[in-house]
Amino acid sequence: MRTQVAIVGAGPAGSLLSLLLRRHGIESVVVERQTKEYVLGRIRAGVLEWTTVELLRAAGLADRLDAEGHVHDSVKIGWRGEEILSIDFQRLTGKPMMSYGQTMIQEDLYLAAEAEGANIVFGASDVEIHDVTTDQPWVRFTADGEQVRLDCDYVAGCDGYHGVSRATIPADAKTEYEKAYPFGWLGILSETPPLPHLIYANHERGFALCSQRNPMLSRYYVQCPLDDTVDDWSDDRFWTELLARLPVSEGEQLVTGPSIEKSIAPLRSYVCEPMSHGRLFLAGDAAHIVPPTGAKGLNLAVSDVHYLSEALAAHYAGDSAPLAAYSATALHRVWSSVRFSWWMTTLLHRFPDQTVFDQRIQEEDLTHLAASEASQTNVAEQYVGLDL
Ligand code: RFL
Ligand code: PHB
């Protein structure tokens, strides 16, 4: 089998890349380890930067997003169980944000891929990437019990943090930057009306976040110890803990109900530099991880594949400079999001070794943020993200 670009992984990065390349007349084959149903069952991101919305619109992939996404102009941050500040990013930056679940984006991308005849091989096992430092790279995988060799011009590694692509790059050809945080997020979905705002809460019992998917589907998170399992968290325990951490006026509006999904994710920051090796280009979580506190991971996956698709299109049209610059171009945005997500995480969570002094410093940062429009503008600019 032969194609121009072999894409490993059909998460948001890989499936969107395949569609963006088609718009430039570039062929690709996507190989995905899981089944389609498995990928669609993962509950992850929920907040999109406006650049992500506009990019999906420009690619003709935003009909349902425009019909069903929830545009919001501000976020709230609560602390000490009573104080609340609101950051109005529409007023401060001229840009809103959009609440729209990653599951729905993934469904939209798979529907478009099917309608356009894009080639995605689900259930591909034993994926191996070969000869990326030659001009004839190839990928081998097993599908339906048969080994397949896929020859290509380029390989896009879009297979997430645990994929094979990054591991293909020799240790002496990459530098890895990593920070693990000493806690996780326990997230639940419930078929209850969400609070009208996205609210992040700093509390002595730990961080909490209220978000949404649609008018009858809410998404909530609480910070939890890394060794907790979902069995430690009955619905009752979850709601009691969430209520204890929210500002009282927000908690009064909370509608509780049975959870329909519950999962725990550890928090880490990670960057691999460069994001390329020979003819292999990494995009999305395969190259970098941010803690979800800044809502940046999916947005970075989208901006990476935007840069990569434009660079490949320029290359096939005769200009190879953007492809040579892909890693540097993407990393500029990556580090901006890594820094912001680290800062949000540090400001809002309770660290196990945190003293009362440290807590007062966090509260002072929040008090200052509440009083200073300059500080709010700084946060708003980073939350809505850089222009492409
Ligand atoms: P994905 O989504 O991990 O997809 C990678 C795909 O590659 C497949 N794969 C392989 N395929 C073939 N061979 C192999 N050897 C393979 N190994 C893996 C996998 O099965 C999978 O289908 O990476 P991608 O496409 O780069 O997308 C990244 C995003 O999923 C991620 O950054 C976001 O979900 C992060 N994130 C958030 N991002 C935001 O922008 N806004 C948010 O509000 C937000 N909230 C979140 C989040 C992530 C969370 N978790 C669970 C870590 C909230 C949470 C709780
Ligand atoms: C979500 O809705 O899942 C969500 C919202 C904001 C974040 C992270 C996750 O910072």
Side-chain angles (χ1 to χ4, degrees), residues 169-195:
I169 304 179
D172 61 0
K174 64 189 173 200
T175 306
E176 297 175 280
Y177 302 86
E178 184 157 25
K179 182 172 183 65
Y181 301 89
F183 39 74
W185 277 18
L186 166 68
I188 73 155
L189 265 184
S190 77
E191 287 171 324
T192 49
L195 294 179

Side-chain angles (χ1 to χ4, degrees), residues 156-350:
C158 301
D159 48 353
Y161 185 68
H162 300 286
V164 290
S165 300
R166 193 179 64 251
T168 304
I169 304 179
D172 61 0
K174 64 189 173 200
T175 306
E176 297 175 280
Y177 302 86
E178 184 157 25
K179 182 172 183 65
Y181 301 89
F183 39 74
W185 277 18
L186 166 68
I188 73 155
L189 265 184
S190 77
E191 287 171 324
T192 49
L195 294 179
H197 289 92
L198 199 68
I199 171 150
Y200 293 87
N202 170 313
H203 193 274
E204 62 186 12
R205 299 179 68 89
F207 168 80
L209 167 60
C210 304
S211 183
Q212 62 162 281
R213 290 295 177 271
N214 66 46
M216 263 314 287
L217 193 58
S218 303
R219 179 75 167 152
Y220 298 103
Y221 299 94
V222 293
Q223 172 187 347
C224 68
L226 274 176
D227 51 8
D228 274 15
T229 68
V230 288
D231 295 335
D232 297 324
W233 286 87
S234 65
D235 286 359
D236 276 352
R237 179 175 175 209
F238 181 88
W239 292 118
T240 305
E241 195 56 45
L242 179 65
L243 262 175
R245 297 179 187 192
L246 291 181
V248 176
S249 57
E250 296 293 321
E252 281 166 354
Q253 302 173 58
L254 187 72
V255 181
T256 63
S259 67
I260 57 168
E261 195 267 353
K262 210 180 262 167
S263 53
I264 293 181
L267 267 66
R268 71 159 68 83
S269 303
Y270 171 88
V271 182
C272 171
E273 284 189 353
M275 287 171 55
S276 60
H277 180 62
R279 289 180 171 237
L280 168 66
F281 295 90
L282 303 179
D285 281 13
H288 41 72
I289 295 286
V290 286
T293 327
K296 293 292 181 199
L298 173 61
N299 293 291
L300 281 180
V302 169
S303 58
D304 283 355
V305 298
H306 163 75
Y307 295 133
L308 185 54
S309 62
E310 294 289 313
L312 284 165
H315 168 76
Y316 282 111
D319 175 9
S320 293
L323 196 54
Y326 163 72
S327 174
T329 307
L331 281 167
H332 170 61
R333 199 183 179 87
V334 167
W335 276 108
S336 164
S337 295
V338 166
R339 199 215 74 87
F340 180 63
S341 305
W342 161 82
W343 178 80
M344 284 277 281
T345 304
T346 308
L347 178 72
L348 295 174
H349 289 75
R350 203 45 37 115

